[in-house]
Amino acid sequence: MRPRRALPALLLVVLLLGAWELYADFSGVQSAVLPAPHEVGTALWNGGAVLWRNFAVTAEEVVLGLAIALTAGFALAVAMHMVPLLRRAVYPLAVGSQAIPIPVIGVLLVFWWGFGVLPKLIVVALICFFPVLVTTADGLAGVDPEQLKLMRTLDASRWQSFRLAELPAALPAALSGARVALAVGVIGAFIAEVATPTTGAYPGLGRQILADAGPNFQTPRAYAGTAILFAFAIACFYALALAERRLAPYRTRTSGEPL
Amino acid sequence: MRTSRLPRRPHRRAIVPVLSAAVCALALGACGSKQDAVSAKSTKPFTVMLDFFPNADHAPLYEALDRGFFRQVGLDVKPVAPAEPAEPLKLLAAGRVNLAISYEPELLLAREQGLKLVSIGALVQRPLTSIIALPGRHVGSVAELKGKRVGTAGIPYQSAELHTALEHAGVSPSSVREANVGFNLVPAMLSGQVDATLGGFWNYEAIQLRLMHKHPVVIPVDEAGVPTYDELVLVVREQEARHDGEDLRAFLQALSRGERAVKADPEAAADAVMAANPSLERKLQLESIRQTLPATVPSEAGKPYGWQSPSAWEAFGTWMFDHGLLHGMPIRPGYLTPYTNEFLPGQGI
């Protein structure tokens, strides 16, 4: 991200923060309902160790959960592409899985995998694999038929045809899916934390935000935590966008380029 | 598995930022995960599921942990915080934890659902649930709730408590509007959505509001006509109560030493709670610990810490039955009682 390219976004942030500050200061809304940006900033500063150590827990869940989600989503899409029967069997269930209210299965996940980080990773993966699955499956199906014909003419094996024609064709779509997954990964970790029990002094930023917004009654710090998640989602998204330029440079620049 | 590997490609440079971000996050994550102290070989793992995130109510537990009382009796106690209030009893019944902290009404409801669970001691001897109002709303007593809007957490037995309190004060329940505000009781009051709430604890939300100089009116439900009950109870599986009595006796013995330590030095207890949950506010925890202490003393003189009064359990069970919260009387001849005092220090055989 070049500095000058980030300028419009930064300007917009400053503008929004200014409007928020004015609204919070002059509309009479209580700090417990909507804290002013300067209060959030103070909470961010004073929250220090507690916020960052909880963030570290959440960041681990996001990164590992996304790793599982990207791998599983991609692998499942390839498998479905190779075996049409599998596609017909699994696709509807994959769609349905997105409607599962996670708290319902929270107890079950813990019953199976205990109180560690694994149940949380499963939740993140469950939420994030879907966009990768759909976009990759579409990308694989959308390969230019002429290319496949050419592969056959050249007597390519199924694997060669996949590696040289279908995979490169699917990669841009798969990466779009990964970007969506990365953007929802952070809220996925929040849901995971809120839906499963936890041990230890640092249960993650999601838990902390929920406690601060509710029983701890520290709304400014809840917003400070939210600001961290907000920034982290952006960071994850652009980290992948950077990688994408190198992984799929042949992707058309005009369409979905975020920066 | 702690590393994720991206597909190898000619342009390695691009992968560096992604990987380094991932590595940073992992390294940070490693710092964040709490390292459990090395446990002595002779101690038995013993998972305790709390009713809520760690707070002042759990001071005796964290004091006993901090001072090694559990270890001394051979238990390696690990506390776990639930995601929602019904979880502790479910995971207890499923065999995932050894003991769950829950609420007397929740236990009675769970038993009616067929969960074979029993309370072996009371962490808090009386209701903490209270009717709380802010001064501007002119609610000085239950009678003044007439025509007002009361926020609750949407828990059926708490709605029944509100009805009982209103009837006790001679107010028709139909004249009061009940609003389900979930667990945002204090914000609902502060923002003026409701005139009063039922569900907040006199040893928590009430103190919180006092520390904010809001001067709340606080009426514990047992002072408003609801029969007294043990707000927080220590629940185990009936099966364990029959076979692993030694562990339970040891747990309760160490816990009562923890309670004595809390009484002797509330400041140290507040530190122990803060270490377990650093996002809390210490001033509130300390004040809450101090004010909760009297509520841990059994109502009958000469009874040990954790004592559960048979007559109180009987009366509260009857109240729940009378209000349609239970389909059968929870305490009846020929059935195991929902509580037992036999594992408390100095009790049993």
Side-chain angles (χ1 to χ4, degrees):
Chain A
M1 196 195 293
R2 266 156 281 169
R4 228 184 319 152
R5 291 213 164 193
L7 207 59
L10 286 177
L11 269 177
L12 185 61
V13 167
V14 170
L15 212 67
L16 287 174
L17 284 178
W20 174 4
E21 181 71 51
L22 289 175
Y23 174 74
D25 292 345
F26 297 109
S27 71
V29 64
Q30 279 159 313
S31 166
V33 178
L34 179 71
H38 75 269
E39 291 172 291
V40 177
T42 310
L44 194 62
W45 184 255
N46 295 335
V50 172
L51 279 174
W52 294 114
R53 296 195 65 170
N54 275 318
F55 168 64
V57 173
T58 305
E60 185 189 12
E61 292 159 5
V62 172
V63 172
L64 295 180
L66 278 169
I68 299 174
L70 299 189
T71 314
F74 190 79
L76 191 58
V78 171
M80 285 188 343
H81 179 68
M82 298 287 196
V83 188
L85 182 69
L86 193 67
R87 182 191 180 93
R88 285 197 294 276
V90 171
Y91 216 142
L93 301 188
V95 176
S97 76
Q98 296 307 290
I100 297 174
I102 302 296
V104 172
I105 57 167
V107 171
L108 179 67
L109 295 179
V110 167
F111 178 66
W112 280 341
W113 292 300
F115 297 105
V117 74
L118 192 56
K120 294 179 174 59
L121 300 187
I122 303 284
V123 172
V124 176
L126 188 65
I127 292 169
C128 298
F129 87 99
F130 189 69
V132 186
L133 174 78
V134 173
T135 53
T136 310
D138 282 357
L140 287 170
V143 64
D144 184 357
E146 293 299 322
Q147 276 197 33
L148 289 181
K149 248 184 239 170
L150 177 68
M151 285 291 156
R152 270 199 297 276
T153 316
L154 295 172
D155 200 23
S157 69
R158 183 73 187 92
W159 166 246
Q160 283 169 325
S161 155
F162 173 73
R163 201 173 69 84
L164 296 171
E166 289 162 295
L167 194 60
L171 209 49
L175 284 166
S176 280
R179 285 217 307 246
V180 176
L182 257 70
V184 295
V186 175
I187 197 67
F190 177 88
I191 295 170
E193 284 174 14
V194 167
T196 56
T198 129
T199 58
Y202 298 98
L205 208 47
R207 275 292 186 113
Q208 185 185 345
I209 289 169
L210 204 67
D212 283 348
N216 283 352
F217 213 70
Q218 300 214 32
T219 319
R221 199 169 64 184
Y223 273 79
T226 307
I228 294 175
L229 291 186
F230 191 89
F232 187 55
I234 297 173
C236 285
F237 187 86
Y238 284 105
L240 187 77
L242 263 179
E244 187 178 331
R245 285 191 201 167
R246 301 301 199 283
L247 282 171
Y250 44 87
R251 180 179 185 169
T252 45
R253 290 274 155 121
T254 44
S255 58
E257 195 73 355
L259 269 183
Chain B
M1 192 198 66
R2 299 221 119 199
T3 52
S4 62
R5 200 182 284 184
L6 292 168
R8 238 182 265 154
R9 283 269 152 181
H11 303 278
R12 285 238 178 101
R13 234 152 33 90
I15 297 172
V16 170
V18 180
L19 268 189
S20 53
V23 168
C24 283
L26 284 182
L28 284 167
C31 301
S33 59
K34 192 186 160 191
Q35 210 66 41
D36 279 342
V38 183
S39 51
K41 286 239 162 56
S42 57
T43 55
K44 224 182 201 181
F46 195 89
T47 308
V48 175
M49 195 152 201
L50 310 175
D51 55 294
F52 205 59
F53 60 59
N55 65 74
D57 294 337
H58 312 124
L61 181 84
Y62 282 105
E63 269 295 76
L65 263 173
D66 226 34
R67 295 176 186 246
F69 297 156
F70 289 125
R71 204 159 288 280
Q72 284 167 25
V73 295
L75 295 177
D76 180 17
V77 169
K78 189 174 94 170
V80 182
E84 48 99 19
E87 212 170 47
L89 294 184
K90 280 190 203 166
L91 282 170
L92 175 68
R96 263 289 170 186
V97 299
N98 298 88
L99 185 143
I101 299 177
S102 190
Y103 314 91
E104 181 178 329
E106 284 290 337
L107 172 64
L108 296 179
L109 290 166
R111 281 172 58 94
E112 202 172 70
Q113 295 296 311
L115 303 188
K116 302 222 174 298
L117 307 173
V118 60
S119 167
I120 58 165
L123 192 62
V124 175
Q125 293 272 347
R126 51 171 289 210
L128 298 172
T129 306
S130 303
I131 296 165
I132 301 178
L134 294 180
R137 297 301 171 135
H138 309 291
V139 179
S141 64
V142 179
E144 285 171 295
L145 284 177
K146 190 173 175 168
K148 298 277 188 351
R149 188 187 295 273
V150 180
T152 66
I155 300 168
Y157 68 78
Q158 291 188 348
S159 300
E161 289 175 358
L162 178 61
H163 277 220
T164 298
L166 293 172
E167 279 163 2
H168 192 77
V171 178
S172 158
S174 60
S175 73
V176 173
R177 282 166 302 167
E178 195 183 328
N180 181 350
V181 295
F183 291 99
N184 297 322
L185 295 166
V186 171
M189 267 188 288
L190 286 175
S191 62
Q193 289 171 45
V194 296
D195 302 302
T197 57
L198 186 148
F201 284 1
W202 55 257
N203 74 340
Y204 214 83
E205 282 84 352
I207 298 175
Q208 209 168 30
L209 287 165
R210 260 184 223 120
L211 290 176
M212 292 165 71
H213 307 291
K214 297 286 183 190
H215 312 288
V217 177
V218 183
I219 309 159
V221 293
D222 56 334
E223 289 172 17
V226 176
T228 188
Y229 59 93
D230 299 336
E231 186 73 64
L232 294 175
V233 288
L234 306 160
V235 186
V236 300
R237 290 177 291 270
E238 280 180 356
Q239 201 188 344
E240 252 77 357
R242 272 201 290 273
H243 302 296
D244 284 341
E246 276 319 301
D247 286 352
L248 304 180
R249 210 163 266 134
F251 178 87
L252 289 170
Q253 192 206 334
L255 189 70
S256 64
R257 284 183 71 195
E259 169 66 15
R260 282 199 295 278
V262 174
K263 213 171 278 181
D265 191 353
E267 296 268 355
D271 291 336
V273 170
M274 288 303 296
N277 186 354
S279 73
L280 298 172
E281 197 190 347
R282 191 174 183 281
K283 205 159 65 170
L284 169 62
Q285 300 310 312
L286 179 60
E287 194 51 33
S288 179
I289 287 170
R290 288 211 167 106
Q291 295 200 17
T292 312
L293 278 170
T296 63
V297 180
S299 51
E300 289 166 55
K303 297 300 184 193
Y305 170 71
W307 172 260
Q308 300 155 100
S309 157
S311 59
W313 276 74
E314 176 97 45
F316 186 71
T318 308
W319 175 84
M320 279 188 82
F321 174 69
D322 288 345
H323 286 77
L325 298 163
L326 298 173
H327 299 298
M329 282 286 286
I331 299 174
R332 50 181 187 255
Y335 284 85
L336 289 173
T337 52
Y339 66 91
T340 172
N341 287 315
E342 70 163 296
F343 303 109
L344 296 171
Q347 303 292 311
I349 315 124

